[in-house]
Amino acid sequence: MTDASVADRGAILHSHVAALYPICRSITGAGLRATLHYIDARIGLTLTEVASGTPVLDWTIPPEWSVRGARLATLDGRTLVDFADHTLHLLSYSTPMHGVVRRAELERHLHSLPGQPELIPYRTAYYRPDWGFCLSHRQRDALTEDAYRVDIDTTLAPGSLTYGECVLPGEEAGEVLFSAHACHPSLANDNLAAIAVAIELARLLAARRRRFTYRFLFAPGTIGAIAWLAANRDAPARIRHGLVLSCLGDPAAPTYKQSRRGDAPIDRYAAHVLAGRGRIMPFAPTGYDERQYGSPGFDLPVGCLMRSPGGSFPEYHTSADNAEFVRPAALADSLAVLLDIVALIEGDTCWRNTAPFGEPQLGRRGLYGDELDRMALLWLLNLSDGRHTLFDIAERAGRPFAAVAAAAAAAARAGLLVPATACASGA
Ligand code: ZN
């Protein structure tokens, strides 16, 4: 890609982050739906509503949360903290509360960051009913009156949880899953950056011929992935490769967190693409929804692509994780990494040598020229026994994947290779 097209791509990616940033998302409700509608308008989504109270695996879909406003004010009517100013000001899933509260009681419902006194923290009360405000520590220090007026105009009522899927069918059986959480309110790197990158990746893949089916899932974190898995118990039979996408817009280099298996093809592809360009982390049952996809009952080959891992940067889960923190160039680079991984997913096919008894005579078949990587070709013919994919061969030969793939195309044209259906890995 030229520098200009990278800049254009970065600007488009960043425009999605900026457009979605003001919306108050949560694990259910209007903000989550508005976000899914924004994505739907660009790539087309199938939306699924799962009713409150529905059991999903070991969990239950919670009541739906609606918020109309929330204010903390002095008794003489001066507004001090207003949800209208920042979605982070309200504890996500806060129960409704209207009344005068003494300061000692109010303090138990305030969340701030003494170490980062200018920032508003992001806090939730998903599975333990509570009300509360999040505010800068500086704002909190200024609360000196004996009592304050609290008005939290929210509803927790039977409704549903929403997730959206964009499915791009492929020519062969097998799916590739890209999953991004869509439940965080005004936070940009975590996870509007990944939503933006997924939108543009889906657009690019939709315009291409595809070997595999690509499924993009946008769902609230944890409970959304669990609801999707509950409805897709056959996922292990379908999903060949997968990536959770998160925090893809900060300036750090890319980070790949391995799948639970650690040696799945997606783990090897990501390591190949990030060699000299990023870093690899081992799997741990923490982090994002890789821990749901990698729960032992599913054990899906799903890793996680990030730049800075969640929790590792000072802006994480604060008002400093805003649209300015996310960089167009970093978003464009994340998309480029994903396109390189997709190229391996699509290109890692399996072949069988049609002349395996002795070395085939290459000159007679026009395969002795300078344009082919000779070592790649010899390894290709030697290992194309129906048990090694092109990526296996590239790794064993120590040759670039592109050289092995080019040799395979030439050998197939010369009739020395035919597609093999069964393969040990990859395909
Ligand atoms: Zn988060």
Side-chain angles (χ1 to χ4, degrees):
M1 262 195 309
T2 65
D3 288 352
S5 67
V6 170
D8 289 349
R9 203 171 258 180
I12 291 167
L13 289 161
H14 195 270
S15 72
H16 297 315
V17 174
L20 292 169
Y21 182 77
I23 299 173
C24 182
R25 279 161 292 272
S26 188
I27 54 173
T28 63
L32 173 62
R33 283 192 199 96
T35 301
L36 295 174
H37 290 153
Y38 178 94
I39 302 167
D40 175 44
R42 281 147 186 89
I43 59 172
L45 290 183
T46 302
L47 299 183
T48 301
E49 300 280 351
V50 188
S52 301
T54 304
V56 286
L57 306 181
D58 200 44
W59 297 56
T60 304
I61 300 295
E64 185 173 323
W65 188 57
S66 303
V67 50
R68 288 163 295 277
R71 274 202 307 273
L72 177 68
T74 58
L75 296 187
D76 59 8
R78 226 166 12 98
T79 299
L80 302 173
V81 176
D82 194 341
F83 170 75
D85 294 337
H86 207 300
T87 65
L88 293 181
H89 273 320
L90 180 61
L91 178 71
S92 187
Y93 254 65
S94 176
T95 53
M97 170 69 188
H98 296 278
V100 172
V101 179
R102 299 200 62 80
R103 182 150 58 93
E105 164 69 3
L106 178 65
E107 280 290 339
R108 288 203 286 275
H109 298 273
L110 298 181
H111 306 270
S112 64
L113 299 167
Q116 295 170 294
E118 302 299 322
L119 305 183
I120 310 166
Y122 165 53
R123 293 285 184 272
T124 66
Y126 290 147
Y127 306 107
R128 43 159 189 96
D130 194 7
W131 63 268
F133 291 99
C134 303
L135 69 174
S136 73
H137 204 67
R138 193 177 44 73
Q139 271 179 305
R140 186 180 188 162
D141 276 343
L143 300 177
T144 53
E145 296 183 30
D146 289 338
Y148 290 89
R149 172 85 206 171
V150 170
D151 280 292
I152 297 177
D153 188 8
T154 58
T155 313
L156 284 159
S160 57
L161 172 147
T162 320
Y163 61 78
E165 294 167 276
C166 166
V167 178
L168 305 172
E171 293 173 351
E172 290 181 20
E175 275 187 25
V176 180
L177 174 69
F178 291 108
S179 175
H181 65 274
C183 55
H184 284 29
S186 300
L187 293 164
N189 197 33
D190 178 17
N191 193 30
L192 299 176
I195 291 172
V197 170
I199 289 171
E200 294 305 318
L201 179 63
R203 269 181 170 166
L204 291 168
L205 295 183
R208 288 185 183 182
R209 184 173 172 183
R210 295 171 302 274
R211 178 178 163 208
F212 291 117
T213 291
Y214 287 79
R215 181 182 300 269
F216 291 82
L217 171 63
F218 301 91
T222 308
I223 187 72
I226 284 171
W228 184 84
L229 284 166
N232 289 270
R233 296 298 288 257
D234 64 334
R238 299 198 318 258
I239 293 179
R240 303 288 177 85
H241 317 281
L243 285 174
V244 168
L245 306 178
S246 183
C247 300
L248 288 178
D250 68 85
T255 301
Y256 174 74
K257 178 180 165 184
Q258 291 176 329
S259 75
R260 179 178 185 264
R261 301 180 192 181
D263 62 351
I266 189 66
D267 300 314
R268 295 162 63 209
Y269 299 155
H272 185 84
V273 168
L274 289 190
R277 187 175 174 189
R279 67 184 185 116
I280 309 297
M281 282 171 63
F283 177 79
T286 56
Y288 295 100
D289 286 325
E290 64 276 13
R291 65 202 222 221
Q292 310 308 333
Y293 303 124
S295 55
F298 290 103
D299 192 24
L300 297 176
V302 176
C304 178
L305 187 70
M306 306 167 272
R307 299 188 79 86
S308 290
S312 75
F313 49 99
E315 296 83 358
Y316 174 77
H317 281 193
T318 75
S319 51
D321 182 3
N322 56 29
E324 288 69 50
F325 177 56
V326 166
R327 310 290 165 83
L331 292 164
D333 182 64
S334 297
L335 180 56
V337 166
L338 283 165
L339 287 169
D340 288 349
I341 292 174
V342 167
L344 289 178
I345 289 172
E346 289 281 298
D348 190 18
T349 47
C350 193
W351 300 81
R352 195 169 49 73
N353 180 348
T354 58
F357 300 101
E359 273 188 11
Q361 205 184 346
L362 300 179
R364 175 156 60 83
R365 294 179 169 89
L367 292 173
Y368 213 76
D370 292 337
E371 69 280 4
L372 284 182
D373 182 324
R374 185 167 163 74
M375 282 309 292
L377 179 63
L378 292 177
W379 274 107
L380 172 74
L381 292 170
N382 187 275
L383 291 177
S384 286
D385 52 6
R387 295 196 304 272
H388 299 87
T389 69
L390 296 185
F391 190 79
D392 295 334
I393 296 167
E395 276 194 331
R396 176 111 178 243
R399 306 306 300 163
F401 178 80
V404 175
R413 276 196 302 277
L416 272 179
L417 290 183
V418 292
T421 45
C423 223
S425 70

